[in-house]
Amino acid sequence: MSHHAPHHRLVDVPGGRIHLVEQGTGPLVLLVHGFPESWYSWRHQLPVLAEAGFRAVAIDVRGYGRSSKPREVDAYRMLAHVADNVGVVRALGAETATIVGHDWGSAIAANSALLRPDVFTAVGLLSVPYAPRGGPRPTDAFAMIGGGDEEFYVSYFQEEGTAEAEIEPDVRGWLAGFYAGLSADTMPSPDHPSLHFVARGGRMSDRFGPASRLPSWLAEADLDVYAGEFERTGMTGALNRYRNVDRDWEDLAPWDGAPITQPSLFIGGDQDASTTWLADAIKAYPRTLPGLVSSHILEGCGHWVQQERAFEVNRLLVEWLRAFHVA
């Protein structure tokens, strides 16, 4: 095993501070988690990447964990996340990095690579495919996805305080239901109402299904780590990412339809709506991700790919990294 134990530190970036955990030495690989998670989502990747000869660094995205949690909603715009990532690379004394993201972290990683190709020389995307900026205003598009009596979860998350009021009274129970609802081994049957829609006037957790067991990848102790972070921070910082979708669409107008040309990787799960709903985005990869090295859809895998299928994801990540980092 690696001689380098994981090391926690806080680094200053122009927008505040970012908490990170690093392990290993070598070319920098920056790992960016999604909603509602933590640096801890990469606990299975850090030692393996370190052992393979890389400096693996998992951050708490702003609004999460021990990173800064600004008050203003617009402090969570995509441009701020990109700036944080550039700041982290600089604070670590590196010129360039490979960036890998999951869920919202995938979008943050993609935009970091798109806006700062001088810093982010390769990009790995987990669960959420790259789709260039375009189309109608996002909240208008999401409003059309919902029916008369229910709304798309991103629309439900828009109003400040609504989702917080649902989640914060029982953070641990809510997280358990959310993680289980999107995991291949515990997700409700296909005829169960989708977790991705909320009945008007209802709550997302109404759709969780029976909370009888945790998914196999999530031990009680792991859930304690996640719950402890959100019990301390609250949910607003995490939810504010969703509250910037229109602002991002405006900010990113200069990159409308732009491809990402660096060496890239995609890994999704065939039971994950984040992957399957965006099948057209994956089909468009020859145009939108011309530097794609490899793309993988894992069978029988849900949303939490790097935790549900740690061994497989680690193998794919290391193979991909070695393709353009000659030891």
Side-chain angles (χ1 to χ4, degrees), residues 282-323:
I282 295 173
K283 284 196 191 94
Y285 278 170
R287 198 171 66 250
T288 61
L289 280 180
L292 187 68
V293 175
S294 57
S295 184
H296 311 270
I297 307 287
L298 307 183
E299 280 183 41
C301 181
H303 182 62
W304 318 102
V305 283
Q306 78 270 37
Q307 297 176 87
E308 288 187 54
R309 300 290 266 283
F311 180 81
E312 235 170 312
V313 168
N314 289 346
R315 181 177 58 79
L316 294 171
L317 275 176
V318 171
E319 271 175 21
W320 172 68
L321 288 163
R322 287 192 167 146

mmCIF file of all heavy atoms in Angstrom, residues 282-323:
data_model
loop_
_atom_site.group_PDB
_atom_site.id
_atom_site.type_symbol
_atom_site.label_atom_id
_atom_site.label_comp_id
_atom_site.label_asym_id
_atom_site.label_seq_id
_atom_site.Cartn_x
_atom_site.Cartn_y
_atom_site.Cartn_z
ATOM 1 N N ILE A 282 -24.579 11.665 -24.976
ATOM 2 C CA ILE A 282 -23.515 10.668 -25.165
ATOM 3 C C ILE A 282 -23.328 10.380 -26.654
ATOM 4 O O ILE A 282 -22.195 10.284 -27.137
ATOM 5 C CB ILE A 282 -23.838 9.380 -24.362
ATOM 6 C CG1 ILE A 282 -23.834 9.699 -22.855
ATOM 7 C CG2 ILE A 282 -22.847 8.271 -24.686
ATOM 8 C CD1 ILE A 282 -24.302 8.561 -21.969
ATOM 9 N N LYS A 283 -24.441 10.279 -27.388
ATOM 10 C CA LYS A 283 -24.356 10.052 -28.842
ATOM 11 C C LYS A 283 -23.616 11.183 -29.549
ATOM 12 O O LYS A 283 -23.001 10.983 -30.594
ATOM 13 C CB LYS A 283 -25.764 9.923 -29.446
ATOM 14 C CG LYS A 283 -26.445 8.593 -29.178
ATOM 15 C CD LYS A 283 -27.618 8.410 -30.125
ATOM 16 C CE LYS A 283 -28.498 7.244 -29.733
ATOM 17 N NZ LYS A 283 -29.659 7.665 -28.880
ATOM 18 N N ALA A 284 -23.692 12.391 -28.965
ATOM 19 C CA ALA A 284 -23.072 13.567 -29.601
ATOM 20 C C ALA A 284 -21.579 13.701 -29.287
ATOM 21 O O ALA A 284 -20.925 14.622 -29.774
ATOM 22 C CB ALA A 284 -23.800 14.839 -29.166
ATOM 23 N N TYR A 285 -21.030 12.780 -28.478
ATOM 24 C CA TYR A 285 -19.622 12.894 -28.059
ATOM 25 C C TYR A 285 -18.612 13.065 -29.206
ATOM 26 O O TYR A 285 -17.649 13.813 -29.044
ATOM 27 C CB TYR A 285 -19.213 11.705 -27.198
ATOM 28 C CG TYR A 285 -19.603 11.808 -25.733
ATOM 29 C CD1 TYR A 285 -19.479 10.709 -24.886
ATOM 30 C CD2 TYR A 285 -20.080 12.998 -25.186
ATOM 31 C CE1 TYR A 285 -19.814 10.786 -23.539
ATOM 32 C CE2 TYR A 285 -20.433 13.089 -23.850
ATOM 33 C CZ TYR A 285 -20.291 11.972 -23.023
ATOM 34 O OH TYR A 285 -20.625 12.051 -21.699
ATOM 35 N N PRO A 286 -18.780 12.399 -30.347
ATOM 36 C CA PRO A 286 -17.795 12.634 -31.414
ATOM 37 C C PRO A 286 -17.657 14.115 -31.767
ATOM 38 O O PRO A 286 -16.579 14.565 -32.143
ATOM 39 C CB PRO A 286 -18.361 11.828 -32.591
ATOM 40 C CG PRO A 286 -19.140 10.731 -31.950
ATOM 41 C CD PRO A 286 -19.739 11.340 -30.721
ATOM 42 N N ARG A 287 -18.724 14.875 -31.577
ATOM 43 C CA ARG A 287 -18.718 16.309 -31.875
ATOM 44 C C ARG A 287 -18.373 17.141 -30.636
ATOM 45 O O ARG A 287 -17.633 18.104 -30.720
ATOM 46 C CB ARG A 287 -20.112 16.699 -32.389
ATOM 47 C CG ARG A 287 -20.197 18.004 -33.145
ATOM 48 C CD ARG A 287 -21.568 18.176 -33.793
ATOM 49 N NE ARG A 287 -22.655 18.310 -32.813
ATOM 50 C CZ ARG A 287 -23.589 17.372 -32.601
ATOM 51 N NH1 ARG A 287 -23.582 16.239 -33.269
ATOM 52 N NH2 ARG A 287 -24.538 17.578 -31.702
ATOM 53 N N THR A 288 -18.929 16.752 -29.458
ATOM 54 C CA THR A 288 -18.801 17.587 -28.254
ATOM 55 C C THR A 288 -17.571 17.248 -27.412
ATOM 56 O O THR A 288 -17.090 18.092 -26.652
ATOM 57 C CB THR A 288 -20.053 17.446 -27.372
ATOM 58 O OG1 THR A 288 -20.185 16.069 -26.966
ATOM 59 C CG2 THR A 288 -21.309 17.887 -28.126
ATOM 60 N N LEU A 289 -17.088 15.998 -27.519
ATOM 61 C CA LEU A 289 -15.895 15.556 -26.779
ATOM 62 C C LEU A 289 -14.945 14.868 -27.767
ATOM 63 O O LEU A 289 -14.688 13.659 -27.655
ATOM 64 C CB LEU A 289 -16.262 14.556 -25.674
ATOM 65 C CG LEU A 289 -16.828 15.046 -24.356
ATOM 66 C CD1 LEU A 289 -17.098 13.857 -23.433
ATOM 67 C CD2 LEU A 289 -15.891 16.033 -23.670
ATOM 68 N N PRO A 290 -14.406 15.618 -28.724
ATOM 69 C CA PRO A 290 -13.575 14.985 -29.751
ATOM 70 C C PRO A 290 -12.308 14.327 -29.200
ATOM 71 O O PRO A 290 -11.720 13.484 -29.856
ATOM 72 C CB PRO A 290 -13.226 16.143 -30.696
ATOM 73 C CG PRO A 290 -13.466 17.384 -29.913
ATOM 74 C CD PRO A 290 -14.560 17.067 -28.957
ATOM 75 N N GLY A 291 -11.921 14.687 -27.951
ATOM 76 C CA GLY A 291 -10.740 14.059 -27.349
ATOM 77 C C GLY A 291 -11.061 12.832 -26.511
ATOM 78 O O GLY A 291 -10.211 12.346 -25.763
ATOM 79 N N LEU A 292 -12.301 12.328 -26.631
ATOM 80 C CA LEU A 292 -12.726 11.186 -25.804
ATOM 81 C C LEU A 292 -11.813 9.978 -26.009
ATOM 82 O O LEU A 292 -11.654 9.497 -27.130
ATOM 83 C CB LEU A 292 -14.171 10.814 -26.144
ATOM 84 C CG LEU A 292 -14.833 9.755 -25.255
ATOM 85 C CD1 LEU A 292 -15.058 10.287 -23.847
ATOM 86 C CD2 LEU A 292 -16.174 9.321 -25.853
ATOM 87 N N VAL A 293 -11.221 9.524 -24.914
ATOM 88 C CA VAL A 293 -10.335 8.353 -24.962
ATOM 89 C C VAL A 293 -11.156 7.086 -24.774
ATOM 90 O O VAL A 293 -10.989 6.100 -25.483
ATOM 91 C CB VAL A 293 -9.249 8.454 -23.862
ATOM 92 C CG1 VAL A 293 -8.394 7.188 -23.816
ATOM 93 C CG2 VAL A 293 -8.379 9.695 -24.085
ATOM 94 N N SER A 294 -12.074 7.102 -23.805
ATOM 95 C CA SER A 294 -12.913 5.925 -23.574
ATOM 96 C C SER A 294 -14.205 6.324 -22.874
ATOM 97 O O SER A 294 -14.246 7.293 -22.124
ATOM 98 C CB SER A 294 -12.170 4.864 -22.756
ATOM 99 O OG SER A 294 -11.718 5.391 -21.531
ATOM 100 N N SER A 295 -15.249 5.549 -23.151
ATOM 101 C CA SER A 295 -16.574 5.800 -22.588
ATOM 102 C C SER A 295 -17.147 4.466 -22.139
ATOM 103 O O SER A 295 -17.079 3.481 -22.879
ATOM 104 C CB SER A 295 -17.466 6.434 -23.664
ATOM 105 O OG SER A 295 -18.725 6.775 -23.130
ATOM 106 N N HIS A 296 -17.671 4.418 -20.938
ATOM 107 C CA HIS A 296 -18.101 3.149 -20.348
ATOM 108 C C HIS A 296 -19.447 3.315 -19.658
ATOM 109 O O HIS A 296 -19.627 4.240 -18.874
ATOM 110 C CB HIS A 296 -17.092 2.673 -19.299
ATOM 111 C CG HIS A 296 -15.673 2.693 -19.782
ATOM 112 N ND1 HIS A 296 -15.077 1.613 -20.399
ATOM 113 C CD2 HIS A 296 -14.741 3.673 -19.756
ATOM 114 C CE1 HIS A 296 -13.833 1.940 -20.731
ATOM 115 N NE2 HIS A 296 -13.605 3.185 -20.365
ATOM 116 N N ILE A 297 -20.376 2.401 -19.951
ATOM 117 C CA ILE A 297 -21.636 2.332 -19.216
ATOM 118 C C ILE A 297 -21.601 1.038 -18.413
ATOM 119 O O ILE A 297 -21.526 -0.053 -18.990
ATOM 120 C CB ILE A 297 -22.865 2.328 -20.161
ATOM 121 C CG1 ILE A 297 -22.825 3.519 -21.136
ATOM 122 C CG2 ILE A 297 -24.146 2.312 -19.340
ATOM 123 C CD1 ILE A 297 -23.134 4.864 -20.537
ATOM 124 N N LEU A 298 -21.592 1.162 -17.082
ATOM 125 C CA LEU A 298 -21.466 -0.020 -16.215
ATOM 126 C C LEU A 298 -22.834 -0.651 -15.998
ATOM 127 O O LEU A 298 -23.785 0.016 -15.574
ATOM 128 C CB LEU A 298 -20.841 0.378 -14.874
ATOM 129 C CG LEU A 298 -19.519 1.142 -14.946
ATOM 130 C CD1 LEU A 298 -18.970 1.401 -13.541
ATOM 131 C CD2 LEU A 298 -18.487 0.403 -15.787
ATOM 132 N N GLU A 299 -22.931 -1.953 -16.280
ATOM 133 C CA GLU A 299 -24.206 -2.659 -16.148
ATOM 134 C C GLU A 299 -24.568 -2.870 -14.687
ATOM 135 O O GLU A 299 -23.709 -3.184 -13.862
ATOM 136 C CB GLU A 299 -24.119 -4.021 -16.849
ATOM 137 C CG GLU A 299 -24.293 -3.924 -18.352
ATOM 138 C CD GLU A 299 -24.268 -5.304 -19.002
ATOM 139 O OE1 GLU A 299 -24.865 -6.242 -18.428
ATOM 140 O OE2 GLU A 299 -23.649 -5.430 -20.065
ATOM 141 N N GLY A 300 -25.845 -2.673 -14.386
ATOM 142 C CA GLY A 300 -26.326 -2.898 -13.028
ATOM 143 C C GLY A 300 -25.778 -1.904 -12.026
ATOM 144 O O GLY A 300 -25.663 -2.204 -10.841
ATOM 145 N N CYS A 301 -25.457 -0.695 -12.520
ATOM 146 C CA CYS A 301 -24.877 0.332 -11.646
ATOM 147 C C CYS A 301 -25.792 1.542 -11.622
ATOM 148 O O CYS A 301 -26.315 1.963 -12.655
ATOM 149 C CB CYS A 301 -23.492 0.722 -12.161
ATOM 150 S SG CYS A 301 -22.651 1.972 -11.164
ATOM 151 N N GLY A 302 -25.977 2.120 -10.436
ATOM 152 C CA GLY A 302 -26.806 3.304 -10.282
ATOM 153 C C GLY A 302 -26.003 4.585 -10.383
ATOM 154 O O GLY A 302 -25.014 4.662 -11.135
ATOM 155 N N HIS A 303 -26.394 5.581 -9.600
ATOM 156 C CA HIS A 303 -25.837 6.921 -9.732
ATOM 157 C C HIS A 303 -24.470 7.102 -9.081
ATOM 158 O O HIS A 303 -23.660 7.906 -9.528
ATOM 159 C CB HIS A 303 -26.811 7.933 -9.123
ATOM 160 C CG HIS A 303 -26.372 9.354 -9.248
ATOM 161 N ND1 HIS A 303 -26.191 9.973 -10.468
ATOM 162 C CD2 HIS A 303 -26.052 10.290 -8.307
ATOM 163 C CE1 HIS A 303 -25.793 11.228 -10.266
ATOM 164 N NE2 HIS A 303 -25.696 11.436 -8.967
ATOM 165 N N TRP A 304 -24.202 6.369 -8.015
ATOM 166 C CA TRP A 304 -23.018 6.647 -7.187
ATOM 167 C C TRP A 304 -21.844 5.807 -7.671
ATOM 168 O O TRP A 304 -21.260 5.035 -6.938
ATOM 169 C CB TRP A 304 -23.336 6.397 -5.716
ATOM 170 C CG TRP A 304 -24.682 6.923 -5.341
ATOM 171 C CD1 TRP A 304 -25.826 6.199 -5.170
ATOM 172 C CD2 TRP A 304 -25.057 8.298 -5.131
ATOM 173 N NE1 TRP A 304 -26.884 7.027 -4.864
ATOM 174 C CE2 TRP A 304 -26.445 8.321 -4.834
ATOM 175 C CE3 TRP A 304 -24.343 9.509 -5.171
ATOM 176 C CZ2 TRP A 304 -27.132 9.513 -4.573
ATOM 177 C CZ3 TRP A 304 -25.040 10.688 -4.907
ATOM 178 C CH2 TRP A 304 -26.405 10.681 -4.616
ATOM 179 N N VAL A 305 -21.484 5.972 -8.951
ATOM 180 C CA VAL A 305 -20.604 5.004 -9.634
ATOM 181 C C VAL A 305 -19.294 4.732 -8.916
ATOM 182 O O VAL A 305 -18.898 3.576 -8.786
ATOM 183 C CB VAL A 305 -20.301 5.429 -11.100
ATOM 184 C CG1 VAL A 305 -21.468 5.145 -12.006
ATOM 185 C CG2 VAL A 305 -19.897 6.881 -11.199
ATOM 186 N N GLN A 306 -18.594 5.777 -8.449
ATOM 187 C CA GLN A 306 -17.265 5.517 -7.889
ATOM 188 C C GLN A 306 -17.337 4.876 -6.508
ATOM 189 O O GLN A 306 -16.329 4.404 -5.988
ATOM 190 C CB GLN A 306 -16.399 6.784 -7.875
ATOM 191 C CG GLN A 306 -16.687 7.795 -6.778
ATOM 192 C CD GLN A 306 -17.717 8.822 -7.183
ATOM 193 O OE1 GLN A 306 -18.682 8.517 -7.882
ATOM 194 N NE2 GLN A 306 -17.538 10.053 -6.720
ATOM 195 N N GLN A 307 -18.559 4.837 -5.930
ATOM 196 C CA GLN A 307 -18.745 4.135 -4.666
ATOM 197 C C GLN A 307 -19.412 2.772 -4.893
ATOM 198 O O GLN A 307 -19.019 1.775 -4.285
ATOM 199 C CB GLN A 307 -19.566 4.997 -3.708
ATOM 200 C CG GLN A 307 -18.840 6.304 -3.360
ATOM 201 C CD GLN A 307 -19.680 7.211 -2.487
ATOM 202 O OE1 GLN A 307 -19.654 7.096 -1.275
ATOM 203 N NE2 GLN A 307 -20.423 8.126 -3.103
ATOM 204 N N GLU A 308 -20.400 2.734 -5.785
ATOM 205 C CA GLU A 308 -21.062 1.461 -6.086
ATOM 206 C C GLU A 308 -20.094 0.480 -6.731
ATOM 207 O O GLU A 308 -20.165 -0.731 -6.495
ATOM 208 C CB GLU A 308 -22.265 1.684 -7.025
ATOM 209 C CG GLU A 308 -23.456 2.346 -6.365
ATOM 210 C CD GLU A 308 -24.683 2.384 -7.283
ATOM 211 O OE1 GLU A 308 -25.081 1.321 -7.790
ATOM 212 O OE2 GLU A 308 -25.240 3.482 -7.474
ATOM 213 N N ARG A 309 -19.216 0.974 -7.609
ATOM 214 C CA ARG A 309 -18.321 0.108 -8.377
ATOM 215 C C ARG A 309 -16.884 0.596 -8.297
ATOM 216 O O ARG A 309 -16.245 0.876 -9.310
ATOM 217 C CB ARG A 309 -18.777 0.075 -9.824
ATOM 218 C CG ARG A 309 -20.189 -0.457 -9.960
ATOM 219 C CD ARG A 309 -20.276 -1.959 -9.663
ATOM 220 N NE ARG A 309 -20.166 -2.686 -10.888
ATOM 221 C CZ ARG A 309 -21.160 -2.813 -11.757
ATOM 222 N NH1 ARG A 309 -22.348 -2.316 -11.494
ATOM 223 N NH2 ARG A 309 -20.972 -3.453 -12.870
ATOM 224 N N ALA A 310 -16.404 0.736 -7.046
ATOM 225 C CA ALA A 310 -15.086 1.342 -6.814
ATOM 226 C C ALA A 310 -13.976 0.633 -7.587
ATOM 227 O O ALA A 310 -13.142 1.287 -8.230
ATOM 228 C CB ALA A 310 -14.773 1.345 -5.322
ATOM 229 N N PHE A 311 -13.955 -0.696 -7.558
ATOM 230 C CA PHE A 311 -12.860 -1.439 -8.187
ATOM 231 C C PHE A 311 -12.800 -1.162 -9.691
ATOM 232 O O PHE A 311 -11.749 -0.875 -10.256
ATOM 233 C CB PHE A 311 -13.021 -2.945 -7.918
ATOM 234 C CG PHE A 311 -11.925 -3.777 -8.528
ATOM 235 C CD1 PHE A 311 -10.694 -3.913 -7.907
ATOM 236 C CD2 PHE A 311 -12.121 -4.411 -9.756
ATOM 237 C CE1 PHE A 311 -9.666 -4.670 -8.484
ATOM 238 C CE2 PHE A 311 -11.105 -5.165 -10.344
ATOM 239 C CZ PHE A 311 -9.880 -5.292 -9.697
ATOM 240 N N GLU A 312 -13.978 -1.248 -10.324
ATOM 241 C CA GLU A 312 -14.057 -1.036 -11.775
ATOM 242 C C GLU A 312 -13.699 0.404 -12.159
ATOM 243 O O GLU A 312 -12.959 0.642 -13.108
ATOM 244 C CB GLU A 312 -15.490 -1.318 -12.231
ATOM 245 C CG GLU A 312 -15.619 -2.340 -13.322
ATOM 246 C CD GLU A 312 -17.071 -2.714 -13.504
ATOM 247 O OE1 GLU A 312 -17.766 -2.988 -12.499
ATOM 248 O OE2 GLU A 312 -17.510 -2.718 -14.667
ATOM 249 N N VAL A 313 -14.251 1.355 -11.407
ATOM 250 C CA VAL A 313 -13.969 2.766 -11.696
ATOM 251 C C VAL A 313 -12.482 3.059 -11.496
ATOM 252 O O VAL A 313 -11.862 3.749 -12.301
ATOM 253 C CB VAL A 313 -14.855 3.691 -10.829
ATOM 254 C CG1 VAL A 313 -14.387 5.139 -10.898
ATOM 255 C CG2 VAL A 313 -16.323 3.583 -11.276
ATOM 256 N N ASN A 314 -11.892 2.498 -10.434
ATOM 257 C CA ASN A 314 -10.457 2.708 -10.204
ATOM 258 C C ASN A 314 -9.632 2.181 -11.370
ATOM 259 O O ASN A 314 -8.695 2.845 -11.831
ATOM 260 C CB ASN A 314 -10.022 2.008 -8.910
ATOM 261 C CG ASN A 314 -10.558 2.703 -7.670
ATOM 262 O OD1 ASN A 314 -11.027 3.831 -7.735
ATOM 263 N ND2 ASN A 314 -10.496 2.028 -6.540
ATOM 264 N N ARG A 315 -9.982 0.992 -11.852
ATOM 265 C CA ARG A 315 -9.238 0.392 -12.968
ATOM 266 C C ARG A 315 -9.350 1.270 -14.217
ATOM 267 O O ARG A 315 -8.348 1.552 -14.895
ATOM 268 C CB ARG A 315 -9.776 -1.023 -13.252
ATOM 269 C CG ARG A 315 -9.058 -1.755 -14.373
ATOM 270 C CD ARG A 315 -9.602 -3.173 -14.539
ATOM 271 N NE ARG A 315 -11.029 -3.202 -14.810
ATOM 272 C CZ ARG A 315 -11.582 -2.957 -15.997
ATOM 273 N NH1 ARG A 315 -10.834 -2.630 -17.042
ATOM 274 N NH2 ARG A 315 -12.893 -3.031 -16.154
ATOM 275 N N LEU A 316 -10.560 1.726 -14.510
ATOM 276 C CA LEU A 316 -10.780 2.564 -15.698
ATOM 277 C C LEU A 316 -10.056 3.908 -15.568
ATOM 278 O O LEU A 316 -9.472 4.399 -16.534
ATOM 279 C CB LEU A 316 -12.278 2.783 -15.922
ATOM 280 C CG LEU A 316 -13.089 1.538 -16.285
ATOM 281 C CD1 LEU A 316 -14.587 1.844 -16.264
ATOM 282 C CD2 LEU A 316 -12.667 0.977 -17.640
ATOM 283 N N LEU A 317 -10.092 4.495 -14.371
ATOM 284 C CA LEU A 317 -9.416 5.779 -14.154
ATOM 285 C C LEU A 317 -7.905 5.646 -14.344
ATOM 286 O O LEU A 317 -7.284 6.458 -15.028
ATOM 287 C CB LEU A 317 -9.700 6.303 -12.738
ATOM 288 C CG LEU A 317 -10.970 7.102 -12.496
ATOM 289 C CD1 LEU A 317 -11.111 7.428 -11.012
ATOM 290 C CD2 LEU A 317 -10.999 8.388 -13.313
ATOM 291 N N VAL A 318 -7.331 4.622 -13.724
ATOM 292 C CA VAL A 318 -5.873 4.450 -13.802
ATOM 293 C C VAL A 318 -5.449 4.152 -15.244
ATOM 294 O O VAL A 318 -4.469 4.726 -15.744
ATOM 295 C CB VAL A 318 -5.391 3.356 -12.827
ATOM 296 C CG1 VAL A 318 -3.920 3.016 -13.070
ATOM 297 C CG2 VAL A 318 -5.589 3.817 -11.376
ATOM 298 N N GLU A 319 -6.184 3.290 -15.932
ATOM 299 C CA GLU A 319 -5.875 2.984 -17.341
ATOM 300 C C GLU A 319 -5.904 4.250 -18.189
ATOM 301 O O GLU A 319 -5.020 4.490 -19.016
ATOM 302 C CB GLU A 319 -6.916 2.007 -17.921
ATOM 303 C CG GLU A 319 -6.577 0.553 -17.733
ATOM 304 C CD GLU A 319 -7.719 -0.349 -18.212
ATOM 305 O OE1 GLU A 319 -8.560 0.119 -19.035
ATOM 306 O OE2 GLU A 319 -7.772 -1.499 -17.762
ATOM 307 N N TRP A 320 -6.939 5.054 -17.975
ATOM 308 C CA TRP A 320 -7.098 6.297 -18.739
ATOM 309 C C TRP A 320 -5.981 7.275 -18.424
ATOM 310 O O TRP A 320 -5.360 7.833 -19.327
ATOM 311 C CB TRP A 320 -8.472 6.895 -18.403
ATOM 312 C CG TRP A 320 -8.708 8.268 -18.950
ATOM 313 C CD1 TRP A 320 -8.843 8.614 -20.268
ATOM 314 C CD2 TRP A 320 -8.880 9.466 -18.196
ATOM 315 N NE1 TRP A 320 -9.081 9.964 -20.375
ATOM 316 C CE2 TRP A 320 -9.103 10.507 -19.128
ATOM 317 C CE3 TRP A 320 -8.865 9.767 -16.828
ATOM 318 C CZ2 TRP A 320 -9.313 11.830 -18.720
ATOM 319 C CZ3 TRP A 320 -9.076 11.074 -16.435
ATOM 320 C CH2 TRP A 320 -9.290 12.093 -17.368
ATOM 321 N N LEU A 321 -5.697 7.467 -17.129
ATOM 322 C CA LEU A 321 -4.626 8.398 -16.738
ATOM 323 C C LEU A 321 -3.276 7.979 -17.324
ATOM 324 O O LEU A 321 -2.487 8.819 -17.766
ATOM 325 C CB LEU A 321 -4.549 8.483 -15.215
ATOM 326 C CG LEU A 321 -5.688 9.236 -14.528
ATOM 327 C CD1 LEU A 321 -5.735 8.918 -13.041
ATOM 328 C CD2 LEU A 321 -5.550 10.740 -14.739
ATOM 329 N N ARG A 322 -3.020 6.682 -17.340
ATOM 330 C CA ARG A 322 -1.732 6.195 -17.834
ATOM 331 C C ARG A 322 -1.613 6.347 -19.340
ATOM 332 O O ARG A 322 -0.502 6.364 -19.888
ATOM 333 C CB ARG A 322 -1.528 4.730 -17.428
ATOM 334 C CG ARG A 322 -1.221 4.636 -15.944
ATOM 335 C CD ARG A 322 -0.738 3.252 -15.566
ATOM 336 N NE ARG A 322 -0.164 3.292 -14.214
ATOM 337 C CZ ARG A 322 -0.249 2.277 -13.356
ATOM 338 N NH1 ARG A 322 -0.872 1.159 -13.694
ATOM 339 N NH2 ARG A 322 0.305 2.379 -12.167
ATOM 340 N N ALA A 323 -2.757 6.477 -20.019
ATOM 341 C CA ALA A 323 -2.725 6.633 -21.482
ATOM 342 C C ALA A 323 -2.026 7.927 -21.897
ATOM 343 O O ALA A 323 -1.458 8.001 -22.968
ATOM 344 C CB ALA A 323 -4.152 6.575 -22.058
#
